[in-house]
Amino acid sequence: MSKQLTTILATSLALLEQFQGALSTSASASTAEDRSKDANANALGLLSASSAALKAQVTKLSLLAINSPFTHSAVTGVLRACNDSVLPSLVTAALLVTPAEYTKAFHSEVLLLVRTTLTEFTTLVQQVKGIAEEKDRAEKDDPKKKEEDLSKSEKDAATLAAGRVWDACDTVTEVATKGVVGFVMRRVEEWRDLVKDAVDEIEGWDPEEDDDGFFDDLMGGDKEDEDDGADDDDEGDDEENAALQAEKKSTLRFLKPVMQVYPAIVTNRLKKAGDAPLSSTNGVAKLETLMLNLQSIPEKVDEVAGALYEGNASKSAKYLKKIQKCASQAVETVTLPWDPANGAEGERPAEDKFTIWSRTWFKVMDEVSKSIDAESSA
Ligand SMILES: *[C@@H]1O[C@H](CO)[C@@H](O)[C@H](O)[C@H]1NC(C)=O
Ligand SMILES: *[C@@H]1O[C@H](CO)[C@@H](O)[C@H](O)[C@H]1NC(C)=O
């Protein structure tokens, strides 16, 4: 192997390892440094530009690796470009995406995606190294023999590795292009779908279809009573079913406005927000609160469903109240529009359609929670 190629392969692999280390410790190291807005705007631009650049280099590298003749100088050139500028830019961009300026969740997402990209790229570089070593061996065995093509499986492996780097680069570019608010919006839509699935399941649940034995066991039903008390049991079951049906109905009535919070916030507070939420610390904090609350609702709805199936009204009520708290906090956080990017200090943004919607929403929640409170204390 040419000395240059040996060196750059070793350097690249060492650099990749070093970068992985830098990205895995950055979560604790990065703080709210005073960076200019321009640097902010550029972090995502740099991120998408450098991931696109890496993708282009990877295309070249994989073609050079699988086609004969294997040209050491060309492969060296591509690796050098990655080492000297493409990879350092990618990692720098990722490190500029701090949790304080871009939210914790977005920061973690970017680090994760860039680390994945580096991992996939490392695999490709290792394969290129393997190919270079193999060509060396073949040449040593028979220096006069014409260079042979790689086997199909070797070519496939290199192409596959390149494809995986491409996918990773595309994901980074997409996340960088959509930005923080785009990312938050996607998460909120995922949580909305989870809530909807859980509510659909509750809707489809028929208490009467449940295994009676299961409930009898839970209610301490006694097997010996089964024969002589058949009629009483039926009556008891009817009552129990009616109670469960009522419980199901009031639960769904309660969850309906909760579900509406998701699309309302997406439409009114995320879709057209642009970078406004990021223009202030306050805006970033609001995004954090919004995500925290909207994310925690789906699992609580699952708990409500579980409590319903168990016939445990007090447990169901407990989780419904928690859901109400989270949903209310989310709505409250974004009741007013985002602060205008260059709004005067202390100036409150004007109320809008969503602000009015939120007032009605709070009234509705008060209404539907009355029946929950009544039922759980009954
Ligand atoms: C790799 O890049 C670093 C800077 O990122 C540079 O110092 C080093 O000389 C480069 N190595 C090679 C072999 O080009
Ligand atoms: C209902 O759920 C609560 C937990 O929230 C539990 O402590 C209680 O024992 C359950 N009641 C019944 C009847 O299963």
Side-chain angles (χ1 to χ4, degrees):
M1 212 187 298
S2 75
K3 172 131 195 327
Q4 274 182 328
L5 181 57
T6 314
T7 310
I8 192 71
L9 279 167
T11 316
S12 300
L13 289 170
L15 187 78
L16 282 163
E17 202 168 309
Q18 192 189 322
F19 281 159
Q20 288 280 12
L23 291 177
S24 63
T25 53
S26 89
S28 49
S30 49
T31 49
E33 289 146 44
D34 50 346
R35 220 171 264 119
S36 73
K37 287 244 173 64
D38 284 350
N40 274 344
N42 283 342
L44 296 183
L46 185 62
L47 192 61
S48 59
S50 53
S51 61
L54 181 61
K55 190 178 170 185
Q57 296 295 347
V58 161
T59 307
K60 280 193 235 167
L61 186 59
S62 65
L63 289 176
L64 289 170
I66 62 175
N67 289 314
S68 295
F70 185 82
T71 323
H72 288 194
S73 59
V75 173
T76 304
V78 172
L79 287 173
R80 188 168 285 150
C82 292
N83 172 70
D84 290 354
S85 73
V86 178
L87 292 172
S89 302
L90 182 66
V91 172
T92 303
L95 292 174
L96 284 172
V97 180
T98 61
E101 290 161 300
Y102 292 87
T103 75
K104 292 193 203 87
F106 188 74
H107 160 84
S108 307
E109 176 85 351
V110 166
L111 284 190
L112 180 74
L113 294 177
V114 171
R115 293 192 62 187
T116 304
T117 307
L118 296 184
T119 303
E120 301 295 4
F121 185 61
T122 304
T123 306
L124 178 65
V125 173
Q126 272 159 349
Q127 288 203 354
V128 171
K129 191 176 169 204
I131 290 171
E133 284 165 353
E134 194 188 314
K135 299 246 170 183
D136 268 7
R137 268 196 304 277
E139 203 184 295
K140 263 194 206 110
D141 287 350
D142 184 359
K144 273 169 283 173
K145 209 173 101 187
K146 197 173 165 291
E147 185 182 334
E148 269 181 38
D149 260 356
L150 294 172
S151 71
K152 183 172 181 309
S153 68
E154 284 165 319
K155 283 190 183 183
D156 286 351
T159 309
L160 188 72
R164 294 178 65 117
V165 192
W166 283 338
D167 290 347
C169 289
D170 283 346
T171 312
V172 171
T173 308
E174 195 192 330
V175 163
T177 308
K178 289 195 173 157
V180 179
V181 175
F183 166 79
V184 174
M185 200 157 85
R186 208 191 72 214
R187 299 308 311 275
V188 171
E189 284 168 348
E190 284 166 9
W191 300 324
R192 173 203 64 198
D193 291 346
L194 290 176
V195 172
K196 190 174 175 304
D197 287 349
V199 170
D200 282 351
E201 203 190 299
I202 295 175
E203 234 157 21
W205 171 61
D206 182 357
E208 286 183 47
E209 272 175 19
D210 265 311
D211 175 16
D212 285 339
F214 176 62
F215 276 103
D216 283 348
D217 285 348
L218 272 184
M219 311 306 279
D222 196 344
K223 285 225 153 49
E224 283 170 22
D225 289 346
E226 254 171 40
D227 287 333
D228 46 344
D231 286 350
D232 290 351
D233 266 5
D234 275 354
E235 237 166 68
D237 281 353
D238 283 349
E239 257 173 50
E240 192 181 301
N241 280 332
L244 288 174
Q245 290 288 6
E247 175 96 10
K248 173 181 161 181
K249 209 171 139 204
S250 66
T251 301
L252 289 171
R253 210 162 79 91
F254 186 96
L255 290 174
K256 212 168 164 196
V258 173
M259 282 169 77
Q260 287 168 350
V261 167
Y262 289 81
I265 288 181
V266 166
T267 306
N268 295 286
R269 288 295 179 260
L270 296 173
K271 236 174 208 155
K272 290 173 220 137
D275 280 336
L278 300 179
S279 62
S280 69
T281 326
N282 185 27
V284 175
K286 281 182 172 182
L287 283 180
E288 299 276 18
T289 310
L290 195 62
M291 282 195 277
L292 199 70
N293 284 292
L294 293 181
Q295 179 174 20
S296 74
I297 293 176
E299 67 207 35
K300 294 187 172 70
V301 179
D302 285 340
E303 291 288 347
V304 168
L308 270 183
Y309 306 157
E310 290 164 21
N312 189 334
S314 71
K315 185 175 169 189
S316 167
K318 189 175 100 187
Y319 279 99
L320 287 174
K321 295 306 278 182
K322 285 186 187 182
I323 290 169
Q324 182 177 11
K325 196 170 158 214
C326 291
S328 301
Q329 267 167 10
V331 172
E332 225 167 78
T333 305
V334 293
T335 296
L336 291 173
W338 302 103
D339 286 317
N342 46 8
E345 190 79 23
E347 188 186 309
R348 263 165 64 102
E351 299 190 347
D352 69 354
K353 206 173 72 183
F354 183 83
T355 316
I356 296 161
W357 180 88
S358 72
R359 288 201 191 102
T360 315
W361 184 85
F362 276 108
K363 272 187 212 138
V364 171
M365 279 317 286
D366 274 350
E367 249 339 279
V368 294
S369 65
K370 270 178 201 155
S371 72
I372 299 297
D373 289 338
E375 222 170 85
S376 63
S377 56

